[in-house]
Amino acid sequence: MNTNLSDGTYIWIGKSVQVMQICDECLKTVLLLAFPGVRFQDHVIYSENQKRLDKATLGKLIRILKQRVLLTDEFSETLENYLDNRNSLIHKWDRIQEFENDEDARRFVQFFCLQAVDLTKLFLEIIIAWVAQTAGQPKMKEDQKMLTELLESGEENFMEFMEDFILEIR
């Protein structure tokens, strides 16, 4: 068991947690807006759905996505693999320390980060497509405007963060 992880590996673990949280929030937004599972009649239904999603674990969010959208086997497997790696990083710390050396542990964490980045980009693309499709619909106008502003303000910072992040891996 390797108990001597380097500072660099711990930095990667921190970055992984950052990206994972962004990915989780993007998935919640996709489920809330693009694939809500119900027709929004009023703000109450929207708020109740939002509260349920905020409390859901990543595993639950993935199950909800699978119920609402027909996913390819390959994408389902990608999500399950991401969930397993995420749970190892967050809940099974001893698995990280089981690697033979620091380099192997860092590679695992970097791989997880790239998974999270790829999924986040995909979820952002779905959100952006939803914003474009709902433009002009009166009931969605406020949500669409708020989300557009959020994406415009955050997307540049997020993409810059991701570009720096990916450069560090190579």
Side-chain angles (χ1 to χ4, degrees), residues 7 9 12 19 41 56 68 70 164:
D7 289 347
T9 299
W12 274 102
V19 176
Q41 302 297 325
R68 295 180 185 177
L70 180 60
D164 291 344

Side-chain angles (χ1 to χ4, degrees), residues 30-58:
V30 164
L31 290 172
L32 184 63
L33 299 175
F35 307 117
V38 294
R39 296 180 85 186
F40 292 128
Q41 302 297 325
D42 58 39
H43 188 69
V44 173
I45 294 172
Y46 177 88
S47 295
E48 288 172 3
N49 201 16
Q50 185 175 26
K51 285 177 190 173
R52 276 194 301 275
L53 292 175
D54 280 343
K55 293 179 182 179
T57 64
L58 180 61

Side-chain angles (χ1 to χ4, degrees), residues 107-118:
R107 265 196 225 116
F108 168 77
V109 175
Q110 288 172 334
F111 175 78
F112 171 75
C113 285
L114 287 175
Q115 278 186 310
V117 167
D118 289 345

Side-chain angles (χ1 to χ4, degrees), residues 124 149-164:
L124 277 174
E149 290 170 3
L150 178 68
L151 285 172
E152 287 172 354
S153 67
E155 186 176 5
E156 188 175 302
N157 292 336
F158 173 73
M159 291 306 176
E160 185 178 305
F161 169 75
M162 289 298 137
E163 286 170 14
D164 291 344

Side-chain angles (χ1 to χ4, degrees), residues 50-87:
Q50 185 175 26
K51 285 177 190 173
R52 276 194 301 275
L53 292 175
D54 280 343
K55 293 179 182 179
T57 64
L58 180 61
K60 176 75 172 169
L61 293 173
I62 290 172
R63 281 192 300 280
I64 292 170
L65 181 65
K66 287 178 177 182
Q67 290 169 355
R68 295 180 185 177
V69 182
L70 180 60
L71 303 177
T72 65
D73 290 342
E74 183 181 351
F75 188 62
S76 270
E77 189 175 314
T78 298
L79 288 172
E80 292 301 323
N81 185 265
Y82 172 74
L83 175 63
D84 184 52
N85 289 336
R86 180 242 184 239
N87 286 343

Side-chain angles (χ1 to χ4, degrees), residues 128-146:
I128 290 166
W130 179 86
V131 168
Q133 286 182 356
T134 59
Q137 294 180 16
K139 287 184 179 181
M140 298 296 190
K141 206 167 195 164
E142 282 306 307
D143 286 336
Q144 193 261 353
K145 180 181 174 195
M146 177 192 72

